[in-house]
Amino acid sequence: MATTFPEGFVWGTATSAYQIEGAVREGGRGVSIWDRFSHTPGKTENGDTGDVASDHYHRWRQDVGLMKELGLNAYRFSIAWPRIIPDGSGAANQAGLDFYDRLVDALLAAGIEPFPTLYHWDLPEALYDKGGWLNRDAAGWFADYAAVVSSRLGDRVRRWITHNEPFVAAFEGYALGSHAPGLNDPKAALQVAHHLLLSHGRAVPILRQNSEAGAQVGIALNLSWVDPASERQADVEAAQRFDGLLNRLFLDPLFRGAYPADMLAYAGPLAPEVEPEDLLQIATPIDFLGVNYYSRAVVADDPQGGPLGARQIVPPYAELTEMGWEVYPEGLRQLLVRLHQEYHPAALYITENGCAAADRLQDGRVHDPQRIAYLSAHLAAAHQAIAEGVPLRGYLVWSLLDNFEWAYGYTKRFGLVYVDYATQARVVKDSGAWFRQVATANALP
Ligand code: IFM
């Protein structure tokens, strides 16, 4: 029997600017921290950069056509801040605005709802030179940028996402150093997380004000279901700390207007500086929560495990994707139910879900049964969560196209559409054809 989703369910794919656009020196675009980071020797696999990426800047019409062919009704993309305001603050670049203006029009003409994200990690380098997200002024820079974009697109965009995965921007960028700007400073990471959240809170009313009545604003967080590695008290507490950093550090201020007390106590002198009205602003009510879910986290206590004293382990029996992440669809159901019960967001979207696989182009086809199995199992879990009362309104696959997977360069393929980087030819994978059936039937076969 088919598993049918609620009427009006949103079916789409997600991408981000630096991962697909390329054309980094065209259209008046400024330099971002990811341009500098990816061009720094040793920071990405094979020294890969987003200079060309999936060439979407030149092939966007074809890509909109592909989405139409896939029967999708929404497209989550990100807007490159350095295309809109090349120096980060100050004058807007009309050519940059025009690019997204045309994209939005083409999407609407194809019956696909534009679902833009304002920040997917490509901070203008000029702002980094002024302290970047460590500078409290960043909240104001971001609000100004949000105002410029929404003044131009707000007559047509009905759903906005402020930030993508502030956890990753803060901790991979400022504590682990694996992402731009590549710092190893846990205190800075916590302060950056706070400024990212503050900038979100500042942008929410601006986006609403500049959009048509009824427009919705949300944020996309990377969240996981967290299990302790064993029943040992030390592992249970390590899992709580991990959950505190990954999930609650963002959910609590957004939905409860307070940082989790246990995490503030644990952080001690590393805790961020917070000014009196900050949490009120961060907790400005939002219309939906975007959930980026890939895997659960299984966590063990480990005194050597960095400031958190914890280590993620991979269960020995686990099935893994090409990223080495455990395939664990039940965690998606558990997470969605928890979010609904503990944080009560008005609506939820799965703003990213998908897997990297060892895709090969053979005789013009890409057979990727493992991706179909992954998506199918996660959609079944999402459907179960809906049946349990979760107000889940849509599902967006990461990703439309194979693209630049950050520090992994082009070695990991997440797309429903294969990209032959030598020619930039696009080939719909078997999973793309399968997802078309799901989206058009509004049901899992
Ligand atoms: O490619 C990333 C994306 O930019 C953010 N979420 C996770 C994806 C896969 O790692």
Side-chain angles (χ1 to χ4, degrees):
M1 218 183 65
T3 304
T4 303
F5 283 80
E7 210 187 305
F9 201 72
V10 168
W11 295 100
T13 53
T15 63
S16 89
Y18 190 68
Q19 293 180 272
I20 64 165
E21 285 181 2
V24 293
R25 281 173 280 276
E26 291 179 48
R29 178 184 179 279
V31 176
S32 85
I33 55 172
W34 263 97
D35 294 302
R36 186 183 47 79
F37 187 78
S38 65
H39 278 270
T40 305
K43 297 297 186 191
T44 66
E45 248 172 84
N46 307 313
D48 289 343
T49 73
D51 286 5
V52 178
S54 314
D55 199 30
H56 171 77
Y57 187 77
H58 298 118
R59 294 168 196 260
W60 60 272
R61 281 185 200 283
Q62 182 188 0
D63 295 338
V64 172
L66 280 166
M67 285 184 262
K68 191 171 179 187
E69 192 183 316
L70 293 181
L72 307 178
N73 59 29
Y75 175 45
R76 175 175 175 231
F77 58 98
S78 84
I79 294 176
W81 190 341
R83 283 201 192 283
I84 304 298
I85 310 180
D87 293 328
S89 56
N93 170 35
Q94 286 311 314
L97 284 164
D98 290 347
F99 173 70
Y100 296 106
D101 197 271
R102 285 192 290 264
L103 177 64
V104 162
D105 279 347
L107 288 166
L108 290 170
I112 300 167
E113 187 194 325
F115 204 154
T117 302
L118 289 179
Y119 187 71
H120 200 124
W121 311 345
D122 43 2
L123 184 76
E125 177 77 1
L127 294 183
Y128 184 68
D129 294 340
K130 294 185 194 163
W133 289 110
L134 260 178
N135 185 338
R136 195 180 154 81
D137 290 346
W141 302 331
F142 183 73
D144 292 345
Y145 159 59
V148 171
V149 173
S150 53
S151 306
R152 182 69 179 263
L153 303 180
D155 56 341
R156 284 154 291 158
V157 167
R158 289 176 45 231
R159 290 187 183 99
W160 295 98
I161 293 175
T162 54
H163 282 279
N164 181 69
E165 303 183 357
F167 171 88
V168 175
F171 290 94
E172 294 220 27
Y174 286 80
L176 301 172
S178 46
H179 277 202
L183 305 188
N184 297 97
D185 181 347
K187 181 164 174 58
L190 283 160
Q191 192 64 51
V192 164
H194 179 64
H195 290 158
L196 287 164
L197 285 168
L198 184 62
S199 72
H200 155 86
R202 293 249 179 106
V204 171
I206 295 171
L207 294 169
R208 282 207 184 105
Q209 210 174 355
N210 288 341
S211 306
E212 299 290 315
Q216 299 181 356
V217 184
I219 186 169
L221 303 180
N222 56 304
L223 301 169
S224 284
W225 180 257
V226 182
D227 280 324
S230 79
E231 287 172 7
R232 280 176 53 225
Q233 186 59 22
D235 286 343
V236 171
E237 286 172 13
Q240 272 162 8
R241 293 196 296 278
F242 193 93
D243 176 59
L245 191 71
L246 178 73
N247 298 326
R248 291 182 286 118
L249 189 74
F250 296 89
L251 291 166
D252 282 21
L254 285 165
F255 290 98
R256 296 177 177 166
Y259 282 111
D262 62 330
M263 294 313 290
L264 285 185
Y266 189 79
L270 303 185
E273 282 163 33
V274 176
E275 292 194 7
E277 300 292 305
D278 289 3
L279 282 150
L280 252 180
Q281 264 182 351
I282 293 171
T284 303
I286 50 177
D287 303 295
F288 65 87
L289 173 65
V291 178
N292 294 359
Y293 178 87
Y294 289 88
S295 187
R296 71 165 163 174
V298 180
V299 177
D301 178 55
D302 181 358
Q304 316 299 320
L308 207 55
R311 175 171 47 96
Q312 238 183 298
I313 62 152
V314 179
Y317 48 83
E319 179 193 347
L320 305 181
T321 70
E322 275 292 291
M323 296 296 282
W325 299 343
E326 182 187 8
V327 178
Y328 196 74
E330 168 64 2
L332 176 59
R333 186 197 65 77
Q334 292 168 299
L335 174 66
L336 291 172
V337 170
R338 176 196 182 187
L339 293 170
H340 173 53
Q341 290 178 347
E342 293 184 19
Y343 295 97
H344 322 289
L348 293 110
Y349 291 86
I350 294 171
T351 37
E352 287 184 26
N353 178 241
C355 71
D359 302 321
R360 304 258 174 284
L361 185 60
Q362 285 166 333
D363 302 327
R365 302 276 306 274
V366 178
H367 303 299
D368 55 346
Q370 59 286 67
R371 182 170 290 105
I372 295 175
Y374 180 99
L375 297 176
S376 175
H378 285 79
L379 275 168
H383 190 272
Q384 182 59 40
I386 296 172
E388 290 177 43
V390 175
L392 182 70
R393 307 281 185 244
Y395 176 91
L396 297 106
V397 177
W398 185 270
S399 182
L400 172 67
L401 303 167
D402 291 339
N403 60 48
F404 176 74
E405 179 54 25
W406 307 112
Y408 294 94
Y410 296 97
T411 62
K412 307 291 179 203
R413 293 179 178 272
F414 274 91
L416 294 181
V417 177
Y418 183 91
V419 176
D420 178 350
Y421 293 113
T423 62
Q424 292 291 347
R426 274 87 163 122
V427 178
V428 175
K429 300 178 191 177
D430 287 357
S431 60
W434 173 85
F435 194 60
R436 178 184 199 287
Q437 286 175 13
V438 175
T440 49
N442 196 37
L444 263 181

